[in-house]
Amino acid sequence: MGWQEAARRLWGDDWIAPLAEVAGINRRTVERWKAGDGSPREIIADTIIMLARRSGADAPVAGAVLRRMV
């Protein structure tokens, strides 16, 4: 699973804004990553992948909790 698929599992099809919020970065930066211009730091990518894998079917719940924690 890549970081984009993990983000989609955590926050659905509109995952750009939640990822930007959780990572504390500008939304345009995430849009550039999605377009292939750069990529998130390894710690960000690894963390969302791990969270999406561990939460399985409850990934949207985990994504919502993560947003609330920020």
Side-chain angles (χ1 to χ4, degrees), residues 3-17:
W3 67 269
Q4 288 190 40
E5 182 182 343
R8 190 170 287 107
R9 285 186 184 186
L10 292 168
W11 298 294
D13 290 335
D14 189 22
W15 54 268
I16 292 174

Side-chain angles (χ1 to χ4, degrees), residues 8-65:
R8 190 170 287 107
R9 285 186 184 186
L10 292 168
W11 298 294
D13 290 335
D14 189 22
W15 54 268
I16 292 174
L19 177 56
E21 181 182 343
V22 167
I25 56 175
N26 189 290
R27 178 187 171 112
R28 289 185 184 259
T29 300
V30 180
E31 289 171 349
R32 285 193 293 270
W33 293 345
K34 182 180 178 188
D37 185 15
S39 59
R41 289 184 299 160
E42 190 174 338
I43 187 73
I44 294 172
D46 290 349
T47 300
I48 63 171
I49 291 168
M50 180 269 310
L51 185 58
R53 282 186 178 152
R54 286 191 177 179
S55 54
D58 292 329
V61 174
V65 168

